[in-house]
Amino acid sequence: MPINYRRTFKSSLWTLILSATALAPVIAAPSIASLTSTKIKTLAMDTEVIQENRDELKRIEGDFAQAYRIHNIAISYAYPDKLHFESVILKAHIAYTINGNQKFTSVPTFHVHKVEDVTNAPGKKQSLLDCGMVPPELLLAYNATYLRKEGANYVFQLLPKIKTEPIRDVVWIDPKTKITVKREHYDRNGHLIAWYQYKNPQQIIPGVYIPTRVEVYNPYNKLAAVTAYKNIRVNKPLDMTIFNF
């Protein structure tokens, strides 16, 4: 019987490929824990909305359009899970504070003093994720799944551990700066609510980068607003009483 050299060659080639694949080292998925903002113990910065498109903001569901009416906000963070937003509008002092699973809103001028427990609704509270970083405490409430690598960035899905929470996020993390250079915010049904780009990172102290420009886009890929981060201080003493209710 004549030998089919072409078939024999193909068979030998596949044998070599399969053998090489079996011997190749398995590359483990990166751990998101190693990409969190563990070096940030305190953070304070001023934020300013430098560009906004009201019509495009209104196309984002929820209260985005209302939130961007406040153009200047001072943000303070303390590890773990303490976040404080403060602003003045028309001489009215407004404070919004998160301490663990408690959320506090204060507007003394209008006698607003509201405390809310968000233990079963982690999606209702802000975190450093909104500022372009993944704080380590976020992983207590969210499951992180590695999806893929795109260029130099690692892509993860962040899904609340509480299954009744209606949201999820997909984040692109730069392993050098540990900044979420891109973030897509979805509901559980896969409907895109909004997406963000975190740009122009600055190294504030050795090994700690903070973005200085945040762009938010609506589901139709239209730029809705741009926020600048200024006067950034990392690991400087904070007045911890601001986190008290």
Side-chain angles (χ1 to χ4, degrees):
M1 179 181 295
I3 299 175
N4 188 328
Y5 290 101
R6 186 181 297 274
R7 179 178 298 174
T8 301
F9 174 75
K10 285 185 177 180
S11 177
S12 300
L13 180 61
W14 275 113
T15 299
L16 288 171
I17 291 173
L18 291 173
S19 298
T21 302
L23 294 173
V26 177
I27 300 175
S31 168
I32 196 171
S34 67
L35 301 170
T36 59
S37 57
T38 52
K39 291 184 178 181
I40 299 177
K41 304 307 177 186
T42 66
L43 168 66
M45 61 186 179
D46 300 323
T47 73
E48 180 184 1
V49 176
I50 59 175
Q51 182 180 337
E52 65 175 318
N53 186 318
R54 303 302 303 173
D55 291 335
E56 299 302 343
L57 279 169
K58 290 176 182 177
R59 301 175 79 184
I60 302 175
E61 66 182 64
D63 58 357
F64 268 80
Q66 291 300 321
Y68 275 88
R69 288 187 181 278
I70 305 177
H71 284 191
N72 298 90
I73 300 176
I75 297 178
S76 301
Y77 164 84
Y79 173 83
D81 213 8
K82 294 181 177 68
L83 200 59
H84 180 77
F85 302 84
E86 191 169 340
S87 187
V88 175
I89 301 178
L90 299 176
K91 298 184 179 181
H93 179 265
I94 299 172
Y96 177 80
T97 307
I98 292 167
N99 192 332
N101 288 323
Q102 300 293 309
K103 185 170 72 171
F104 172 58
T105 304
S106 172
V107 189
T109 302
F110 298 103
H111 307 289
V112 175
H113 185 99
K114 179 183 177 182
V115 178
E116 183 180 359
D117 188 329
V118 292
T119 300
N120 295 317
K124 286 186 176 181
K125 70 176 187 178
Q126 280 71 36
S127 72
L128 281 190
L129 184 65
D130 297 282
C131 300
M133 293 149 280
V134 179
E137 62 266 28
L138 189 79
L139 303 183
L140 297 176
Y142 286 74
N143 290 317
T145 303
Y146 176 68
L147 300 179
R148 60 188 179 275
K149 186 177 182 183
E150 285 191 11
N153 301 321
Y154 296 124
V155 186
F156 289 85
Q157 175 181 264
L158 297 173
L159 191 65
K161 294 181 179 180
I162 297 176
K163 295 183 179 179
T164 54
E165 272 296 86
I167 53 91
R168 68 180 176 90
D169 290 275
V170 177
V171 294
W172 283 251
I173 305 176
D174 180 343
K176 177 183 177 182
T177 64
K178 298 185 179 180
I179 286 173
T180 58
V181 295
K182 181 180 177 181
R183 172 189 170 206
E184 294 179 343
H185 187 54
Y186 295 87
D187 65 21
R188 284 263 186 169
N189 296 320
H191 170 68
L192 179 64
I193 298 171
W195 63 278
Y196 307 78
Q197 286 189 318
Y198 299 88
K199 295 183 172 182
N200 303 343
Q202 289 186 4
Q203 186 172 208
I204 308 303
I205 63 173
V208 175
Y209 293 81
I210 306 293
T212 58
R213 177 184 172 94
V214 182
E215 299 174 353
V216 58
Y217 294 80
N218 64 26
Y220 309 98
N221 294 325
K222 298 295 185 179
L223 179 63
V226 179
T227 302
Y229 293 167
K230 305 175 181 179
N231 303 322
I232 302 169
R233 291 89 70 197
V234 172
N235 296 345
K236 300 292 185 182
L238 283 181
D239 176 9
M240 300 300 288
T241 63
I242 62 175
F243 302 109
N244 298 336
F245 299 166

